Amino acid sequence: MGDEEDIEAETVSVSMEISGNYDEVMSKLATEDEGSTSLVSLLDDLEQLLDTVVRMDGGTRSAIAQQLPEDMTVSFDAQAVVDTLQVLERYDLVVLEGNTWKPGPKLTTEE
């Protein structure tokens, strides 16, 4: 028992360095259990939608819907595009000018 008490009284300090590109390091630090609801597919689709708007340098809801990648989790018709863009507009990620959705101030300043 004396040995166990001596071990419990000792303190241990561990340091570790992880290096590499950002995505590799973040994947190593990510936890396996991110909660009961996963938003990964939603975030991926939002990112693809924003990338499409940026790539096109803006467009109408129909034009954006036609240019979206086929590998998105859910299909986006023109109405789904505008519904989603209206949410993203609240975050200044897109702006509506007339009937054309364009990259918003947060997207144009981060690039």
Side-chain angles (χ1 to χ4, degrees):
M1 273 222 151
D3 291 337
E4 287 179 19
E5 290 174 7
D6 291 339
I7 292 172
E8 289 178 11
E10 295 178 21
T11 59
V12 176
S13 175
V14 177
S15 297
M16 181 172 70
E17 179 180 325
I18 302 175
S19 60
N21 74 35
Y22 179 80
D23 290 333
E24 289 174 353
V25 170
M26 292 310 292
S27 70
K28 291 177 185 177
L29 295 175
T31 60
E32 293 293 324
D33 182 20
E34 294 186 17
S36 60
T37 304
S38 176
L39 299 176
V40 172
S41 60
L42 170 64
L43 295 175
D44 287 343
D45 282 356
L46 293 177
E47 186 173 12
Q48 289 187 35
L49 176 58
L50 288 171
D51 288 346
T52 301
V53 172
V54 169
R55 181 175 33 85
M56 294 175 64
D57 195 28
T60 63
R61 64 186 191 162
S62 298
I64 294 168
Q66 290 174 351
Q67 294 297 316
L68 289 173
E70 293 180 12
D71 65 344
M72 294 181 69
T73 305
V74 297
S75 63
F76 279 76
D77 62 7
Q79 187 58 48
V81 166
V82 77
D83 291 342
T84 307
L85 291 175
Q86 286 173 340
V87 173
L88 297 174
E89 183 179 31
R90 297 181 69 160
Y91 294 91
D92 292 329
L93 295 169
V94 293
V95 294
L96 180 61
E97 295 179 3
N99 66 346
T100 302
W101 289 96
K102 296 188 172 196
K106 291 232 175 134
L107 284 181
T108 55
T109 58
E110 291 177 2
E111 293 177 357

